[in-house]
PDB file of all heavy atoms in Angstrom:
ATOM      1  N   GLU A  48      -6.623  22.101   6.698  1.00 94.00           N
ATOM      2  CA  GLU A  48      -7.087  20.730   6.586  1.00 94.00           C
ATOM      3  C   GLU A  48      -8.249  20.670   5.608  1.00 94.00           C
ATOM      4  O   GLU A  48      -9.127  21.546   5.617  1.00 94.00           O
ATOM      5  CB  GLU A  48      -7.573  20.209   7.942  1.00 94.00           C
ATOM      6  CG  GLU A  48      -8.173  18.802   7.884  1.00 94.00           C
ATOM      7  CD  GLU A  48      -9.145  18.512   9.013  1.00 94.00           C
ATOM      8  OE1 GLU A  48      -9.273  19.337   9.938  1.00 94.00           O
ATOM      9  OE2 GLU A  48      -9.780  17.447   8.964  1.00 94.00           O
ATOM     10  N   TYR A  49      -8.251  19.644   4.778  1.00 94.00           N
ATOM     11  CA  TYR A  49      -9.330  19.413   3.840  1.00 94.00           C
ATOM     12  C   TYR A  49      -9.921  18.027   4.052  1.00 94.00           C
ATOM     13  O   TYR A  49      -9.203  17.066   4.369  1.00 94.00           O
ATOM     14  CB  TYR A  49      -8.838  19.535   2.395  1.00 94.00           C
ATOM     15  CG  TYR A  49      -8.540  20.948   2.005  1.00 94.00           C
ATOM     16  CD1 TYR A  49      -7.292  21.507   2.246  1.00 94.00           C
ATOM     17  CD2 TYR A  49      -9.516  21.756   1.432  1.00 94.00           C
ATOM     18  CE1 TYR A  49      -7.024  22.817   1.922  1.00 94.00           C
ATOM     19  CE2 TYR A  49      -9.253  23.068   1.099  1.00 94.00           C
ATOM     20  CZ  TYR A  49      -8.004  23.593   1.350  1.00 94.00           C
ATOM     21  OH  TYR A  49      -7.739  24.886   1.039  1.00 94.00           O
ATOM     22  N   PHE A  50     -11.220  17.960   3.898  1.00 92.00           N
ATOM     23  CA  PHE A  50     -11.923  16.671   3.947  1.00 92.00           C
ATOM     24  C   PHE A  50     -13.028  16.725   2.903  1.00 92.00           C
ATOM     25  O   PHE A  50     -13.857  17.644   2.911  1.00 92.00           O
ATOM     26  CB  PHE A  50     -12.509  16.418   5.335  1.00 92.00           C
ATOM     27  CG  PHE A  50     -13.107  15.049   5.501  1.00 92.00           C
ATOM     28  CD1 PHE A  50     -12.338  13.990   5.939  1.00 92.00           C
ATOM     29  CD2 PHE A  50     -14.453  14.819   5.213  1.00 92.00           C
ATOM     30  CE1 PHE A  50     -12.880  12.720   6.084  1.00 92.00           C
ATOM     31  CE2 PHE A  50     -14.998  13.556   5.360  1.00 92.00           C
ATOM     32  CZ  PHE A  50     -14.220  12.509   5.789  1.00 92.00           C
ATOM     33  N   SER A  51     -13.032  15.748   2.028  1.00 90.00           N
ATOM     34  CA  SER A  51     -14.030  15.690   0.953  1.00 90.00           C
ATOM     35  C   SER A  51     -14.161  17.030   0.236  1.00 90.00           C
ATOM     36  O   SER A  51     -15.270  17.563   0.083  1.00 90.00           O
ATOM     37  CB  SER A  51     -15.391  15.248   1.514  1.00 90.00           C
ATOM     38  OG  SER A  51     -15.337  13.920   1.959  1.00 90.00           O
ATOM     39  N   GLU A  52     -13.032  17.570  -0.159  1.00 94.00           N
ATOM     40  CA  GLU A  52     -12.924  18.790  -0.981  1.00 94.00           C
ATOM     41  C   GLU A  52     -13.301  20.073  -0.244  1.00 94.00           C
ATOM     42  O   GLU A  52     -13.344  21.144  -0.869  1.00 94.00           O
ATOM     43  CB  GLU A  52     -13.782  18.664  -2.247  1.00 94.00           C
ATOM     44  CG  GLU A  52     -13.401  17.474  -3.127  1.00 94.00           C
ATOM     45  CD  GLU A  52     -14.290  17.357  -4.353  1.00 94.00           C
ATOM     46  OE1 GLU A  52     -14.219  18.247  -5.213  1.00 94.00           O
ATOM     47  OE2 GLU A  52     -15.060  16.367  -4.438  1.00 94.00           O
ATOM     48  N   THR A  53     -13.572  19.983   1.055  1.00 93.00           N
ATOM     49  CA  THR A  53     -13.959  21.170   1.831  1.00 93.00           C
ATOM     50  C   THR A  53     -12.872  21.502   2.842  1.00 93.00           C
ATOM     51  O   THR A  53     -12.357  20.604   3.520  1.00 93.00           O
ATOM     52  CB  THR A  53     -15.284  20.905   2.578  1.00 93.00           C
ATOM     53  OG1 THR A  53     -16.301  20.592   1.628  1.00 93.00           O
ATOM     54  CG2 THR A  53     -15.694  22.121   3.390  1.00 93.00           C
ATOM     55  N   GLN A  54     -12.527  22.777   2.932  1.00 94.00           N
ATOM     56  CA  GLN A  54     -11.573  23.183   3.954  1.00 94.00           C
ATOM     57  C   GLN A  54     -12.279  23.168   5.300  1.00 94.00           C
ATOM     58  O   GLN A  54     -13.250  23.899   5.524  1.00 94.00           O
ATOM     59  CB  GLN A  54     -11.029  24.588   3.667  1.00 94.00           C
ATOM     60  CG  GLN A  54      -9.896  24.977   4.614  1.00 94.00           C
ATOM     61  CD  GLN A  54      -9.342  26.366   4.325  1.00 94.00           C
ATOM     62  OE1 GLN A  54      -9.823  27.367   4.854  1.00 94.00           O
ATOM     63  NE2 GLN A  54      -8.319  26.427   3.491  1.00 94.00           N
ATOM     64  N   ARG A  55     -11.750  22.381   6.229  1.00 91.00           N
ATOM     65  CA  ARG A  55     -12.400  22.209   7.536  1.00 91.00           C
ATOM     66  C   ARG A  55     -11.780  23.092   8.601  1.00 91.00           C
ATOM     67  O   ARG A  55     -12.433  23.406   9.602  1.00 91.00           O
ATOM     68  CB  ARG A  55     -12.277  20.752   7.974  1.00 91.00           C
ATOM     69  CG  ARG A  55     -12.985  19.765   7.080  1.00 91.00           C
ATOM     70  CD  ARG A  55     -14.401  19.563   7.524  1.00 91.00           C
ATOM     71  NE  ARG A  55     -15.161  18.741   6.624  1.00 91.00           N
ATOM     72  CZ  ARG A  55     -16.355  18.259   6.931  1.00 91.00           C
ATOM     73  NH1 ARG A  55     -16.891  18.522   8.110  1.00 91.00           N
ATOM     74  NH2 ARG A  55     -17.020  17.534   6.068  1.00 91.00           N
ATOM     75  N   ASN A  56     -10.543  23.433   8.407  1.00 90.00           N
ATOM     76  CA  ASN A  56      -9.815  24.113   9.470  1.00 90.00           C
ATOM     77  C   ASN A  56      -8.664  24.878   8.838  1.00 90.00           C
ATOM     78  O   ASN A  56      -8.102  24.427   7.826  1.00 90.00           O
ATOM     79  CB  ASN A  56      -9.249  23.062  10.432  1.00 90.00           C
ATOM     80  CG  ASN A  56      -9.290  23.519  11.859  1.00 90.00           C
ATOM     81  OD1 ASN A  56      -9.457  24.691  12.143  1.00 90.00           O
ATOM     82  ND2 ASN A  56      -9.131  22.579  12.772  1.00 90.00           N
ATOM     83  N   LYS A  57      -8.327  26.020   9.413  1.00 94.00           N
ATOM     84  CA  LYS A  57      -7.254  26.829   8.856  1.00 94.00           C
ATOM     85  C   LYS A  57      -6.391  27.342   9.989  1.00 94.00           C
ATOM     86  O   LYS A  57      -6.910  27.781  11.021  1.00 94.00           O
ATOM     87  CB  LYS A  57      -7.838  27.983   8.057  1.00 94.00           C
ATOM     88  CG  LYS A  57      -6.840  28.759   7.237  1.00 94.00           C
ATOM     89  CD  LYS A  57      -7.534  29.840   6.423  1.00 94.00           C
ATOM     90  CE  LYS A  57      -6.632  30.500   5.403  1.00 94.00           C
ATOM     91  NZ  LYS A  57      -5.322  30.920   5.895  1.00 94.00           N
ATOM     92  N   GLY A  58      -5.084  27.329   9.783  1.00 95.00           N
ATOM     93  CA  GLY A  58      -4.167  27.856  10.778  1.00 95.00           C
ATOM     94  C   GLY A  58      -3.982  29.348  10.615  1.00 95.00           C
ATOM     95  O   GLY A  58      -4.632  30.007   9.792  1.00 95.00           O
ATOM     96  N   ASN A  59      -3.066  29.888  11.387  1.00 95.00           N
ATOM     97  CA  ASN A  59      -2.851  31.325  11.437  1.00 95.00           C
ATOM     98  C   ASN A  59      -1.753  31.745  10.461  1.00 95.00           C
ATOM     99  O   ASN A  59      -0.660  32.134  10.866  1.00 95.00           O
ATOM    100  CB  ASN A  59      -2.490  31.736  12.866  1.00 95.00           C
ATOM    101  CG  ASN A  59      -2.482  33.227  13.044  1.00 95.00           C
ATOM    102  OD1 ASN A  59      -3.160  33.939  12.298  1.00 95.00           O
ATOM    103  ND2 ASN A  59      -1.736  33.702  14.006  1.00 95.00           N
ATOM    104  N   PHE A  60      -2.040  31.632   9.181  1.00 97.00           N
ATOM    105  CA  PHE A  60      -1.102  32.016   8.134  1.00 97.00           C
ATOM    106  C   PHE A  60      -1.763  33.066   7.247  1.00 97.00           C
ATOM    107  O   PHE A  60      -2.992  33.110   7.124  1.00 97.00           O
ATOM    108  CB  PHE A  60      -0.710  30.793   7.293  1.00 97.00           C
ATOM    109  CG  PHE A  60       0.375  29.961   7.918  1.00 97.00           C
ATOM    110  CD1 PHE A  60       0.084  29.041   8.906  1.00 97.00           C
ATOM    111  CD2 PHE A  60       1.701  30.117   7.529  1.00 97.00           C
ATOM    112  CE1 PHE A  60       1.074  28.280   9.499  1.00 97.00           C
ATOM    113  CE2 PHE A  60       2.704  29.362   8.100  1.00 97.00           C
ATOM    114  CZ  PHE A  60       2.394  28.439   9.088  1.00 97.00           C
TER     115      PHE A  60
END
Side-chain angles (χ1 to χ4, degrees):
Chain A
E48 176 204 353
Y49 288 87
F50 187 90
S51 293
E52 301 179 67
T53 301
Q54 187 179 89
R55 296 271 174 169
N56 217 344
K57 190 177 190 312
N59 190 25
F60 278 81

